[in-house]
Amino acid sequence: MLNWKINSTHESNPSDAAYTEAVQAYQKTIGSPEIGFFNLPKNRELLAESVKVFERFKHKKYFIHVGIGGSALGPEMILKALGNRSGVEFVFVNNIDPDDLHRQLESVNLSEALIYVVSKSGTTAETVAAMSILIGQLEGAGVKEKDFKDYFVFCTDPVKGELRKLSSQWGVATLTIPSNVGGRFSVLTPVGFLPALFSGIDVQDILEGAEDIQRHLSDPKIGAEFFRLAFWLKDLHDKGIRQTVIMPYSSLLKEYSAWFVQLWAESLGKEGKGLTPIPAYGATDQHSQMQLFMEGPADKVLLLIEVENFSKDFSLKNSLSGESFKNLAPFKLSQLMKAEFEGTLMALRENGRHVVHLKMPAVQEEYLGQLILFAECLTVMVGNLLKVDPFNQPGVEAGKKFANAWLKNNQ
Ligand code: PA5
């Protein structure tokens, strides 16, 4: 099971009354019918729907995932962490850079591709733009509208939005993002399931892992460590320590950092409050951002993730006489990673930095499920303590309005 420990000189001691009140408010949030993410691990119907669609299209050679923000970061994180174990080639169209899209589409044979368009709202400009381009390319290759159902699968809100409308008009298989699950909390829905199934990942195990940790993230006694962590982060926020470095010691979890950044920033950064996330990964960032984390402004909390077991390893045995080679010869590569992790942890502690040491037994389905639910619940608990709504994003909406106005004025 995932576990975590605070390494810091700061101690948080909320009164019993404050603790009880905050835990109850959080339990109310995660139990509310309007908030669906917490119960997703138990919902196997969404997986069953996704498996049906996978069975129908599993002959496809390319999987083009079209989506942005919460509709892309989660699936990319799962695939990078657990690996593509099938022969299917994946393309993530998650931006509107024309040069990049050209390059991406050059590597794809559209006649053998499944295009998975993911958008909760069904109206996001970047996603609609990419979809329009792909429709144009299919039409250019002679594909008729009546045959779009053989190329597209949609994933969207159960009732609302353009994709829902098109889905019935074209007869396109359409998976559901429950209406009470917002984009950045949607990775454990068909948003993440379908690409995971195409890459041979065991989705059931991800869900079981997430289910295993649920009680630790909701029960005031079993989850005391979790609630303490949220209070501690809130205390530090109030003292001006408002930057959160998320740093797994694993290349496979690099996209986890990217996913966490969206969750943490978009959920907590509002009304003048928030914790700025900084993505990093070890050991690579020890040769980059670590100098700043160690000796720069003391305004950061570091969430360091240690992977306890790697599934493969290398011996560093060698017969070279140079000091640096000789020193490493008795060890394995994973032991060097461990040494660097421990060394950094101790140095940060000595420098009085605030660290959370998360231990992940291995980068495997069940533990990734735990790491996902852990981050989502922590975001909500901290959001509640900061008294911000972790589920909205008014600041993003404001930018969209101006962009739409620009489009209208420049027609
Ligand atoms: O978390 C969110 O709600 C957003 O980041 C969305 O995921 C993002 O804006 C994409 O929206 P949609 O899925 O509606 O296309």
Side-chain angles (χ1 to χ4, degrees):
M1 174 81 80
L2 183 79
N3 67 77
W4 53 89
K5 201 169 140 209
I6 295 173
N7 255 300
S8 157
T9 46
H10 176 75
E11 280 191 21
S12 170
N13 293 307
S15 67
D16 288 353
Y19 183 87
T20 309
E21 192 192 326
V23 172
Q24 282 174 353
Y26 161 83
Q27 284 174 324
K28 198 168 160 208
T29 307
I30 59 172
S32 150
E34 276 142 46
I35 305 298
F37 83 92
F38 188 75
N39 290 316
L40 288 172
K42 290 199 166 73
N43 179 344
R44 301 297 153 93
E45 274 168 39
L46 294 171
L47 176 57
E49 270 181 37
S50 310
V51 170
K52 259 193 217 155
V53 171
F54 166 65
E55 289 297 333
R56 177 169 157 203
F57 290 102
K58 67 181 176 194
H59 58 281
K60 295 277 189 178
K61 293 214 170 98
Y62 300 89
F63 188 100
I64 305 180
H65 187 111
V66 181
I68 196 164
S71 291
L73 288 158
E76 289 186 85
M77 173 245 300
I78 292 186
L79 255 77
K80 173 75 181 171
L82 302 173
N84 179 5
R85 306 161 189 175
S86 73
V88 176
E89 285 197 33
F90 282 83
V91 174
F92 281 94
V93 180
N94 56 14
N95 198 4
I96 43 174
D97 177 331
D99 288 336
D100 189 36
L101 186 56
H102 254 276
R103 236 180 247 173
Q104 288 182 307
L105 294 181
E106 260 166 28
S107 67
V108 168
N109 179 356
L110 270 189
S111 66
E112 296 178 297
L114 177 67
I115 304 166
Y116 190 39
V117 184
V118 182
S119 175
K120 173 82 192 292
S121 61
T123 55
T124 302
E126 295 87 342
T127 305
V128 168
M131 187 174 153
S132 318
I133 292 166
L134 287 160
I135 290 173
Q137 297 219 339
L138 284 172
E139 285 173 339
V143 178
K144 300 273 177 291
E145 192 179 296
K146 69 174 181 39
D147 296 320
F148 284 171
K149 61 182 181 324
D150 300 327
Y151 293 86
F152 283 101
V153 170
F154 297 155
C155 182
T156 192
D157 185 89
V159 279
K160 287 190 288 194
E162 298 286 330
L163 286 181
R164 232 347 116 181
K165 274 189 225 148
L166 284 176
S167 130
S168 33
Q169 197 178 315
W170 293 349
V172 168
T174 300
L175 294 168
T176 306
I177 308 173
S179 45
N180 59 4
V181 177
R184 56 192 175 274
F185 291 86
S186 70
V187 57
L188 299 181
T189 71
V191 172
F193 295 166
L194 195 64
L197 290 166
F198 269 86
S199 57
I201 288 167
D202 193 332
V203 177
Q204 182 85 13
D205 279 359
I206 298 181
L207 294 176
E208 278 169 15
E211 229 185 309
D212 282 345
I213 205 171
Q214 265 182 329
R215 282 205 315 144
H216 294 253
L217 303 173
S218 59
D219 185 298
K221 284 209 179 84
I222 300 169
E225 287 303 317
F226 166 73
F227 293 112
R228 220 192 312 275
L229 174 60
F231 271 101
W232 178 78
L233 286 164
K234 152 79 164 73
D235 274 10
L236 291 176
H237 170 276
D238 293 351
K239 286 175 182 288
I241 298 171
R242 294 189 175 185
Q243 305 206 3
T244 312
V245 177
I246 175 80
M247 187 166 179
Y249 272 64
S250 156
S251 305
L252 303 186
L253 294 177
K254 202 175 162 190
E255 302 302 325
Y256 177 82
S257 297
W259 171 81
F260 178 90
V261 162
Q262 187 215 9
L263 182 69
W264 204 238
E266 210 167 28
S267 305
L268 302 178
K270 46 200 74 156
E271 298 171 33
K273 301 172 204 166
L275 293 147
T276 306
I278 302 175
Y281 74 111
T284 304
D285 269 296
Q286 289 185 187
H287 300 266
S288 169
Q289 304 187 84
M290 187 50 74
Q291 170 59 38
L292 172 81
F293 302 158
M294 197 69 79
E295 294 183 348
D299 56 0
K300 296 175 187 57
V301 169
L302 290 100
L303 306 185
L304 300 187
I305 306 177
E306 178 188 7
V307 174
E308 294 183 288
N309 297 290
F310 292 87
S311 62
K312 303 263 173 13
D313 216 338
F314 289 94
S315 163
L316 301 181
K317 199 170 164 190
N318 69 84
S319 51
L320 298 173
S321 55
E323 205 59 22
S324 354
F325 288 96
K326 263 205 314 210
N327 287 346
L328 292 177
F331 298 105
K332 292 191 172 145
L333 194 57
S334 62
Q335 291 175 302
L336 178 59
M337 187 69 113
K338 172 86 178 159
E340 299 212 7
F341 181 86
E342 292 294 339
T344 305
L345 189 63
M346 282 174 75
L348 286 165
R349 202 182 304 158
E350 261 185 30
N351 268 8
R353 304 287 144 151
H354 304 285
V355 179
V356 181
H357 176 180
L358 277 130
K359 284 190 186 181
M360 182 182 193
V363 182
Q364 286 170 1
E365 276 87 339
E366 59 184 301
Y367 306 118
L368 187 65
Q370 292 171 7
L371 201 56
I372 289 170
L373 200 68
F374 168 81
E376 291 178 341
C377 289
L378 189 62
T379 303
V380 172
M381 180 69 192
V382 172
N384 275 5
L385 290 173
L386 291 177
K387 303 213 178 321
V388 295
D389 177 355
F391 302 105
N392 68 6
Q393 55 279 333
V396 179
E397 301 306 325
K400 277 188 205 165
K401 270 188 208 148
F402 286 119
N404 284 335
W406 188 94
L407 289 172
K408 270 207 182 101
N409 295 336
N410 288 278
Q411 261 174 13

